[in-house]
Amino acid sequence: MDGKIVNDVKLKYKVAKKNFSKIMADVQSKCVHTVISKGVLYNVLPYENELYGYKVKGKKIDEPICKNNCYRYSFDEQGHIILVEEMSEFLGHFHYVTMYFYHEDRIETMYWAADTLYNVTVYLLGEQGPTEVYFCSDESEAYREYYYENACLMKIVSQIKQDTTEIGINFSFFYKPNGILQKIIRSWDSGGTEVVYTTDKINYKKLEQRLLNEMEEAVLDFTEQNEDKKITVMGFICYPGHGYLSLSADTGDCVNGASPAYWEYEDFASSSLVDIPLDDKEEEKVLDTVAKAADAVTKLSVFSKLSKADGFYCTMFNHDEEYIEETNPKLKKLLRDNPYFSHST
């Protein structure tokens, strides 16, 4: 972080706050043509709209419409977007304004609501795009670093200062094999993750049905190949963050509470869960889906044919967390009426 740039951005913010009319007139004097759209149509900076959950798939229209998703883009003679105005349906006019100022080694932006300045941001440019970002508003200051790999933006690391509080927020970017952005996940240094943008939403009903079908086939195969073995315990071992589920069965005298690592028969079947990165909420929903499929498979006739030892039970694991159907309130509720999951750890 460059202290001189920090002070420069603070000064720009302080001066600009009092000069909206002059700055706006200067920007408008450089506009040579405009484009009006329904929905977001352009990014000036890498994924600047996706970072706030917007998809850049707007459509050009001939005249402004009084809707919150109407935008007006103004271009200078070099073809640069220098002004983006956003409609306020409530107020009935373009109310929110982002100005872009281009320099050899940086891009500066100002964001306004009417004539009130909200923030000034300076993006230092490298060969692949922005490398450092300096942000200033009345309430906070922020510094960001952009990291690239093979010309793709992979991560943004942010430090935000609000009064005496400093918050670390990071953005991780994931791409499809064809290079199209697939997902952005925000994470906090203090803990927690959240999807802010995705092109692939999980269909949990379809996932549950697929897992049930695969579990049914796995149990049938296991039964046919192990007719002489009695099962003490069956584990549904779920790794949602790594995208797979394995089923393990112990055919020895398993001590209640023993980890699958010590079972005599491990991983008799595996299933793919999802092939996209997950945030905390999605991981929770995937676990719930696995629990629903596990509950359903134990009620099928094929499960009744398993040769079970006295005291046989089922359990769920997640990473290094064992017997989570007893410790996770949601899973406990989902499986409370299933006798196979009713045991004391």
Side-chain angles (χ1 to χ4, degrees), residues 26-89:
D26 184 58
V27 171
Q28 289 177 328
S29 71
K30 297 175 182 176
C31 297
V32 296
H33 79 278
T34 60
V35 172
I36 300 169
S37 70
K38 180 181 179 182
V40 177
L41 196 57
Y42 303 106
N43 275 329
V44 174
L45 297 153
Y47 306 121
E48 63 178 326
N49 287 292
E50 288 87 346
L51 281 168
Y52 296 96
Y54 297 105
K55 292 185 178 180
V56 183
K57 59 175 186 179
K59 295 182 179 181
K60 292 182 181 181
I61 55 178
D62 295 330
E63 299 290 337
I65 55 174
C66 192
K67 298 291 184 181
N68 287 334
N69 65 342
C70 179
Y71 297 84
R72 182 165 61 198
Y73 297 87
S74 297
F75 296 77
D76 66 11
E77 60 184 10
Q78 284 79 38
H80 294 140
I81 293 173
I82 58 176
L83 187 64
V84 179
E85 299 165 277
E86 182 180 352
M87 179 70 71
S88 168
E89 182 176 0

Side-chain angles (χ1 to χ4, degrees), residues 237-288:
I237 306 173
C238 182
Y239 297 83
H242 298 280
Y244 72 91
L245 165 76
S246 64
L247 273 63
S248 293
D250 187 77
T251 57
D253 296 326
C254 178
V255 177
N256 192 26
S259 168
Y262 301 102
W263 294 1
E264 291 190 10
Y265 195 102
E266 300 180 20
D267 296 350
F268 70 84
S270 295
S271 295
S272 172
L273 288 173
V274 288
D275 60 357
I276 57 176
L278 305 176
D279 69 357
D280 293 342
K281 289 183 180 179
E282 289 173 327
E283 284 203 20
E284 182 181 342
K285 288 182 179 179
V286 168
L287 276 177
D288 294 347

Side-chain angles (χ1 to χ4, degrees), residues 106-177:
R106 67 188 64 193
I107 296 175
E108 299 173 1
T109 71
M110 294 181 184
Y111 178 72
W112 308 76
D115 59 355
T116 300
L117 181 62
Y118 272 52
N119 60 69
V120 170
T121 309
V122 173
Y123 298 79
L124 301 187
L125 302 177
E127 292 183 0
Q128 297 176 312
T131 55
E132 297 177 76
V133 180
Y134 295 81
F135 169 98
C136 179
S137 71
D138 273 340
E139 291 79 23
S140 63
E141 302 172 22
Y143 173 72
R144 291 181 176 178
E145 290 184 293
Y146 282 52
Y147 294 90
Y148 301 84
E149 187 176 308
N150 298 324
C152 290
L153 178 60
M154 301 303 295
K155 194 169 188 178
I156 298 175
V157 177
S158 306
Q159 290 296 322
I160 302 171
K161 292 182 179 179
Q162 296 176 320
D163 296 325
T164 58
T165 303
E166 188 164 315
I167 304 169
I169 301 177
N170 306 317
F171 296 88
S172 297
F173 298 77
F174 303 90
Y175 299 86
K176 296 181 180 180

